[in-house]
Amino acid sequence: MRRTVSTLALLLIGLMLIGAVWQPHDPDAIDLSLRFAPPSLDHWLGTDQLGRDVLARLMIGGWRTVAVLGCVAAIGMVGGTVFGVAAAMLEGWRGALILRAGEMFIVVPTLVVALTAAAVFGLNPVTAGVAMGLAGIGPYTLFAHALARRLLAEPFVQAARAMGVGGSGLVVRHVVPNMAPVLFAHIGANAGLAVTAYAALAFLGLGADPSRPDWGAMLFEYRMFLFDHPLLMVWPGLAIAMVSATLNAVFDAH
Amino acid sequence: MTGTLTIENLHIAARHGDHDHVLVDGISLTIRRGRILALVGSSGCGKSMTCSGAQGVLPPGVRVTGGQVLYDGRPIAPEKLRGHVVAAILQNPRSAFNPVLTMANHAKETLRAVGKLDSGWRSRTLEAFATVGLEDGETVLGLHPFEMSGGMLQRTMIALALLSDAPFLFADEPTTDLDLIVQARILDLLEELARRRNLGVLMITHDMGVVARLADEVAVMENGRIIERATTRDIFDNPQRIATRELVEAHMSLYPEVA
């Protein structure tokens, strides 16, 4: 089960990444003679109200979502690991200070931070990803701290210390490598949320560049055709649901 | 006082609320090179704490409240002791190795910790493996802990201790988690190495069978204090204290036909 969902998640992310380098058509090419074309061999998922290829737009949205995920995961994981391990290594008031700061970060609502960042800097995968990643450092710090503390009490860490291995060696070779698998699985929870949060931001459209087809923006744009051409909303909706559900399943399976 | 490691008047306490709970209450021990000193006592008497305290690797919340360690009569800081002067062998070889590192990584780490990692690490490691009876050292280098038996891991841990070239060895219940046949082999190996390499060994154990087999002298601990010290022969022939007698009798009762 674990292997199946992990493989599925990697496969999905791989597919989403293709959009960065290749789309079947120009996603912005308007062809009014082809409005609302049903799925065909040439346009696999059909075309929209301007005759644009839906698959091409979905693929652009896909790799932009991966970019968000990458930022959220990298910032949350790196920041959380650095602060969490530091708190575990520094006994006493310095460690406690880091943890209290982490707890204060938890109450900051991720979506509100991301909304603010979108309003100030414009909505794109990097600003949204960085904002959500920073807002996610708090829980990661506490989680990494708990993991690191448990690892520091492990006999193999004690053995290494007794043989003269110093603080940096303990962190680099013993604590972090043994945390990594659990932390990676933990990304799933954050990443699943990040996908829906970014879709919500794009749907709201605050600070968004309308020419960039994010999945949430596609839902917003195609909502007018819900009854006449429901497939247009099904594709991005399905994409968001599948990706966030799979990422959550990876987390649950571990 | 050359070739000695002395733990002098060591006090260790755990913090409970606003008062200290004393775990080790003024222990003094001298370990001599080429000799095996057994520190015995029942579980919880503070013998492992004495060992970790001297090395400065106590668990969180527990600290040394007094005393010092002398190497050849001169005080030495715990971080200078670890690896350089004292190598350690732990009780459970299964958990004493980092699951994500190979034996080659472990060997390199041991050498790096004492500043002896150079291009000759591989041949020196293979030599240490051969000394402890690990055949096919090349294969062992590439193994992760889960691919090895408890006996192999314990031999590797001893090989790492030799690799550090420390003159003293702290062995905290080194055979408790091994089966009897492997126990006997590991004890023979430790004794042979102590004699041949002139290592001073502090052997922490509650097993008088281990003591009888290889210790030269014995210190008996109870409630954080040393209550009796004597040569191994005297401890068995003429135990002075009740706790000592109990340890000896408990051991002898395992062999009714001898007693």
Side-chain angles (χ1 to χ4, degrees), chain B:
Chain B
M1 288 290 275
T2 55
T4 62
L5 186 71
T6 305
I7 297 171
E8 198 174 71
N9 202 20
L10 185 70
H11 287 77
I12 297 173
R15 197 91 186 136
H16 277 299
D18 53 357
H19 69 282
D20 279 342
H21 178 68
V22 176
L23 300 173
V24 172
D25 192 9
I27 292 271
S28 296
L29 288 170
T30 296
I31 305 140
R32 293 178 182 81
R33 291 197 68 170
R35 308 273 288 170
I36 301 177
L37 170 65
L39 184 59
V40 301
S42 52
S43 300
C45 71
K47 51 193 193 302
S48 293
M49 281 294 168
T50 303
C51 181
S52 328
Q55 295 172 96
V57 290
L58 290 167
V62 182
R63 65 204 163 86
V64 172
T65 50
Q68 58 179 345
V69 179
L70 308 173
Y71 177 43
D72 286 347
R74 280 186 296 276
I76 181 168
E79 60 272 19
K80 295 236 169 65
L81 202 66
R82 296 195 289 265
H84 298 273
V85 178
V86 175
I89 300 174
L90 303 192
Q91 175 174 358
N92 183 345
R94 181 68 54 204
S95 59
F97 285 89
N98 185 333
V100 301
L101 296 185
T102 62
M103 294 305 124
N105 294 136
H106 279 99
K108 282 200 275 188
E109 172 164 66
T110 301
L111 287 168
R112 190 183 296 121
V114 292
K116 287 176 183 157
L117 181 60
D118 53 37
S119 53
W121 73 270
R122 181 178 277 270
S123 61
R124 271 185 291 152
T125 306
L126 291 174
E127 195 188 311
F129 282 175
T131 310
V132 299
L134 281 171
E135 283 145 28
D136 198 8
E138 281 289 348
T139 312
V140 174
L141 278 179
L143 295 180
H144 286 87
F146 75 93
E147 298 170 294
M148 298 166 70
S149 69
M152 277 173 94
L153 286 167
Q154 199 59 303
R155 279 176 198 274
T156 310
M157 194 146 33
I158 297 171
L160 294 181
L162 295 179
L163 210 51
S164 74
D165 220 10
F168 291 91
L169 191 60
F170 284 5
D172 189 350
E173 308 262 14
T175 55
T176 309
D177 283 359
L178 302 173
D179 71 54
L180 281 173
I181 295 167
V182 182
Q183 274 194 22
R185 290 199 189 127
I186 295 286
L187 289 175
D188 287 345
L189 173 64
L190 278 175
E191 180 168 26
E192 188 204 327
L193 290 173
R195 308 291 178 223
R196 208 168 42 163
R197 297 223 174 184
N198 200 26
L199 297 176
V201 180
L202 177 65
M203 170 80 67
I204 292 173
T205 182
H206 58 256
D207 183 347
M208 294 305 280
V210 172
V211 175
R213 193 173 185 116
L214 75 168
D216 299 305
E217 301 151 273
V218 184
V220 183
M221 261 186 99
E222 191 182 43
N223 290 333
R225 288 203 177 90
I226 289 179
I227 54 165
E228 183 165 357
R229 352 169 158 244
T231 61
T232 303
R233 175 156 285 280
D234 282 347
I235 285 283
F236 278 90
D237 289 351
N238 189 19
Q240 299 295 311
R241 303 291 294 259
I242 295 168
T244 314
R245 214 170 296 153
E246 278 174 1
L247 281 168
V248 172
E249 277 167 11
H251 172 63
M252 289 306 183
S253 69
L254 295 173
Y255 311 95
E257 72 280 9
V258 183

Side-chain angles (χ1 to χ4, degrees), chain A residues 33-101:
Chain A
S33 65
L34 263 177
R35 295 179 72 213
F36 299 120
S40 65
L41 273 179
D42 192 27
H43 299 282
W44 289 7
L45 303 184
T47 59
D48 66 5
Q49 77 281 13
L50 297 175
R52 296 173 299 190
D53 183 61
V54 173
L55 180 59
R57 298 181 73 72
L58 205 63
M59 287 177 79
I60 296 280
W63 95 261
R64 287 167 68 87
T65 305
V66 175
V68 174
L69 288 180
C71 290
V72 170
I75 291 174
M77 221 169 84
V78 173
T81 303
V82 168
F83 290 122
V85 172
M89 294 293 290
L90 300 168
E91 290 288 327
W93 66 271
R94 285 171 300 183
L97 195 71
I98 295 174
L99 292 181
R100 293 301 87 76

